[in-house]
Amino acid sequence: MTSMLAADSSVARNDLDDALWWRQASVYQIYPRSFADANGDGIGDLKGVTSRVPYLKALGIDAVWLSPFYPSALADGGYDVDDYRDVDPKIGTLEDFDEMTAALHQAGIKVIVDIVPNHSSDRHTWFLEAVAAGRGSAARERYIFRDGKGEHGELPPNNWTAIFGGSSWQRITEPDGTPGQWYFHLFAPEQPDFNWKNPEVHADFETTLRFWSDRGVDGFRIDVAHGLTKNLDPAFDHLKSVLSGQDLFEDGQHPIWDRDEVHDIYAEWRKIFNEYTPPRIAVAEAWVEPHRRARYASSEGLGQSFNFDLLQADFRAADFRKIIGDNLAFAADSGASTTWVFSNHDVVRHATRYGLQRTGAQDEAQIMNVGGKQWLLDGGRQDEVDTELGLRRAKAATQLMLALPGSAYLYQGEELGLQEVGEEIADEHRQDPAFFRNKGVEIGRDGCRVPLPWESQGSSYGFGAGGSHLPQPQWFSRYAVDAQEQDPASTLSFYRRAMALRHELQSAEELAWEASPNEHVLHFSRPGGWHSITNFGTTPVALPEGELLLASAPLEDGLLPANATAWLRA
Ligand code: NOJ
Ligand code: CA
């Protein structure tokens, strides 16, 4: 089977009608404003993506997922959408979008776009209408407006804290100029939450899903998929950490998160997805209890759900093994395949996380907090990161991930081995609301959103002919695409080789654990004789018999060194 697929892999990837393409796809996440800038204004754009399609094709990915490119004031990196059915004029036009999609499809790459249904921006027509229309109006019913507490309504309806800090309620000024009602926002005040009890909200998102599906989009990534339906009954007011998700209920009755009725929405959406050939796919960003992922991933629902377990895990064999086993079982429950991911636009790049501490575990709080970058404040300074170790482990982990059944998500720049940018981004250049609203606590997510270095020389390292909307440190030069393309030992060459092999070796979604020399080594095989062995320990280990296909670090006297993965054909 392998040789046939090898010869034909480009044909297989070009088959845009294959309804099951997503099950073991590799999906590359593009953060459009930081990928490539075609017109030199310092902001990445859709033409920039189009210009880099040959690069994406050479990387061997099956799909791209584009973070929001819609009109936005960028109060939250584009996750504050002014208009769901247009392109931000700062980064292109709908024609550019069509051109980009056509070029990607031509290269056999599918297109996934981000849908942000929990909240719009406060510049969305509906929100402007809601404020203008006044108390009790139908327009206000599209959002979550309440009267304040206190004698003059001067206090927020409750004391909940938004995810980016501050109150989760914001007071508006009524059309007559008086202080007025309050609206609810899970995230920044510029991101008012929709009222999903309102049928108009349902209808509008259905229109949006059809709009992009009709334009040829292959799938959707659903932002905050577990947060849309809410029960803001005052009975819950006393719950303190309600928005952080730390007190997730498992009974589907939490006031905000993972409520059972959220699935009614996705059942409606599924009908729309299935109107298309092949059916459009969707993947939920749902931070829920692992066993509750299955409903998001079911074929009556979105169809797939992110699992962020490896992203939050220590670099330890036992932890990886448990997570892999559990998630393959959860996936089997839902009938979907699972998704694996180490890096995205919300978290510290894994090449940096893994270099943060020489041996010990990564503290979850250092990594997450809606991607909070607490690690720079309380977890360590940039100069304490062992970048070499970090990259070495990141490559080992990624190679392991690429051998797993299910889909693998890569984040732009990880194929270059890019490190997180830390203190080098001065406060005045920061963009993330998590930084501004949580000063001194969170450094924010800008450090993983710095524009890519395409060339070792030049003003923005080949990002564009002009500058870069977030400053790139000098060391970005060392990671540039042009140099790595020439170097067979580069991280980019490693990723390309790994992706090509993945296409060649990928078969049934099965995994068997194999005996390993010690507890720090994970060895599994896939049907067809594909073996993956990762050494999480500190001493080199012997490899089993077989043809060595790829190793994330050079073997030492024929042994697999520490912090490395090898693939064998046996
Ligand atoms: C999750 C997105 O990945 C993140 O970037 C964003 O800030 C929040 N959702 C709010 O939309
Ligand atoms: Ca531009």
Side-chain angles (χ1 to χ4, degrees):
M1 68 128 215
T2 48
S3 57
M4 231 188 77
L5 270 181
D8 254 342
S9 67
S10 65
V11 175
R13 271 180 275 151
N14 266 317
D15 181 9
L16 293 171
D17 292 329
D18 172 14
L20 299 179
W21 68 269
W22 50 275
R23 291 195 69 99
Q24 302 208 70
S26 1
V27 184
Y28 181 87
Q29 182 190 354
I30 292 181
Y31 190 76
R33 291 173 182 84
S34 298
F35 185 67
D37 172 20
N39 66 354
D41 65 356
I43 303 168
D45 40 45
L46 298 188
K47 279 195 189 307
V49 177
T50 307
S51 75
R52 296 297 180 181
V53 168
Y55 173 82
L56 297 169
K57 188 175 162 87
L59 188 55
I61 52 165
D62 301 295
V64 292
W65 149 34
L66 294 137
S67 275
F69 47 79
Y70 316 110
S72 168
L74 303 180
D76 181 20
Y79 285 89
D80 47 320
V81 179
D82 296 353
D83 179 351
Y84 290 88
R85 302 191 279 273
D86 205 350
V87 172
D88 191 337
K90 294 190 284 299
I91 70 173
T93 62
L94 281 170
E95 287 67 44
D96 294 345
F97 180 87
D98 292 342
E99 234 174 78
M100 177 195 73
T101 304
L104 286 163
H105 281 166
Q106 182 67 33
I109 299 170
K110 297 195 168 55
V111 179
I112 297 174
V113 302
D114 217 310
I115 294 291
V116 190
N118 181 67
H119 45 265
S120 70
S121 86
D122 61 350
R123 310 195 317 170
H124 190 284
T125 333
W126 273 9
F127 191 75
L128 300 176
E129 273 174 31
V131 172
R135 266 196 180 78
S137 61
R140 279 206 187 166
E141 279 304 305
R142 294 167 177 151
Y143 294 91
I144 303 172
F145 280 88
R146 294 276 187 281
D147 291 330
K149 287 191 169 156
E151 204 181 327
H152 307 289
E154 69 280 10
L155 298 172
N158 67 24
N159 289 329
W160 292 354
T161 307
I163 289 168
F164 294 146
S167 170
S168 62
W169 296 93
Q170 178 80 8
R171 195 169 197 190
I172 60 156
T173 303
E174 296 294 343
D176 65 4
T178 58
Q181 284 196 296
W182 299 71
Y183 65 87
F184 183 78
H185 58 91
L186 273 177
F187 295 90
E190 294 88 348
Q191 294 167 294
D193 282 37
F194 282 117
N195 169 18
W196 275 92
K197 292 188 177 138
N198 186 333
E200 274 191 90
V201 174
H202 290 242
D204 197 63
F205 273 92
E206 289 169 15
T207 305
T208 295
L209 294 174
R210 287 206 171 86
F211 179 88
W212 294 109
S213 297
D214 290 344
R215 286 200 111 83
V217 153
D218 303 282
F220 302 95
R221 177 263 190 191
I222 311 302
D223 191 61
V224 208
H226 57 317
L228 274 47
T229 53
K230 299 173 179 88
N231 179 0
L232 298 188
D233 191 297
F236 293 112
D237 283 358
H238 66 282
L239 290 171
K240 279 267 149 40
S241 58
V242 69
L243 302 195
S244 72
Q246 276 156 15
D247 57 357
L248 269 180
F249 299 178
E250 297 197 22
D251 61 358
Q253 295 305 315
H254 185 279
I256 306 285
W257 301 119
D258 192 25
R259 293 180 60 75
D260 285 338
E261 71 256 26
V262 80
H263 297 288
D264 299 346
I265 300 172
Y266 303 135
E268 293 167 5
W269 290 11
R270 173 46 56 190
K271 288 189 206 133
I272 296 173
F273 299 149
N274 288 352
E275 287 167 9
Y276 293 86
T277 313
R280 298 326 189 214
I281 69 136
V283 53
E285 187 219 16
W287 297 81
V288 300
E289 292 292 335
H291 69 272
R292 289 184 58 91
R293 273 182 213 134
R295 276 186 83 181
Y296 295 86
S298 88
S299 58
E300 288 88 55
L302 292 175
Q304 232 187 356
S305 180
F306 275 115
N307 109 57
F308 295 108
D309 299 352
L310 282 184
L311 180 157
Q312 296 177 88
D314 304 335
F315 188 79
R316 264 205 303 251
D319 299 22
F320 270 54
R321 180 169 177 149
K322 176 162 186 353
I323 288 169
I324 293 166
D326 286 354
N327 279 289
L328 293 179
F330 295 139
D333 280 355
S334 66
S337 60
T338 191
T339 63
W340 306 105
V341 57
F342 285 109
S343 279
N344 63 34
H345 65 299
D346 287 333
V347 299
V348 176
R349 287 185 176 279
H350 64 300
T352 302
R353 285 192 328 251
Y354 287 144
L356 199 55
Q357 290 159 334
R358 276 183 177 272
T359 48
Q362 308 281 327
D363 178 348
E364 194 175 317
Q366 292 174 352
I367 303 169
M368 299 303 304
N369 185 1
V370 189
K373 300 300 159 50
Q374 300 192 358
W375 63 274
L376 279 174
L377 296 168
D378 63 26
R381 294 173 44 79
Q382 182 97 26
D383 53 15
E384 288 171 1
V385 177
D386 182 339
T387 53
E388 206 177 309
L389 175 69
L391 177 57
R392 195 180 160 101
R393 285 181 167 174
K395 286 169 70 180
T398 299
Q399 192 180 334
L400 176 156
M401 166 177 86
L402 291 175
L404 292 173
S407 30
Y409 276 73
L410 307 173
Y411 177 54
Q412 67 177 40
E414 70 167 82
E415 77 280 17
L416 306 176
L418 263 193
Q419 296 280 332
E420 186 84 3
V421 184
E423 293 98 331
E424 286 142 313
I425 305 177
D427 287 6
E428 68 264 28
H429 289 131
R430 293 212 170 262
Q431 300 176 6
D432 187 355
F435 171 76
F436 295 108
R437 300 186 53 80
N438 246 330
K439 268 218 153 108
V441 181
E442 280 191 52
I443 195 163
R445 300 160 292 179
D446 296 315
C448 62
R449 301 175 178 185
V450 176
L452 293 191
W454 293 92
E455 293 162 17
S456 348
Q457 308 290 326
S459 58
S460 59
Y461 302 113
F463 168 60
S468 156
H469 69 101
L470 273 170
Q472 300 155 300
Q474 259 178 9
W475 51 262
F476 258 40
S477 163
R478 287 207 303 277
Y479 293 85
V481 172
D482 62 351
Q484 294 207 33
E485 276 186 323
Q486 309 306 317
D487 176 5
S490 69
T491 307
L492 178 58
S493 299
F494 162 77
Y495 264 75
R496 286 182 176 172
R497 181 84 189 114
M499 299 291 287
L501 281 168
R502 175 177 158 92
H503 273 289
E504 185 183 325
L505 300 167
Q506 196 77 270
S507 57
E509 290 170 42
E510 288 162 29
L511 173 153
W513 293 108
E514 306 280 346
S516 66
N518 67 55
E519 58 181 337
H520 304 299
V521 177
L522 282 192
H523 177 183
F524 60 84
S525 64
R526 299 281 305 274
W530 181 13
H531 287 250
S532 179
I533 302 115
T534 303
N535 185 358
F536 291 82
T538 50
T539 49
V541 295
L543 286 169
E545 288 292 299
E547 174 201 355
L548 179 68
L549 301 170
L550 179 70
S552 65
L555 299 194
E556 290 170 7
D557 299 327
L559 302 177
L560 181 67
N563 304 308
T565 294
W567 287 349
L568 304 181
R569 192 171 358 224

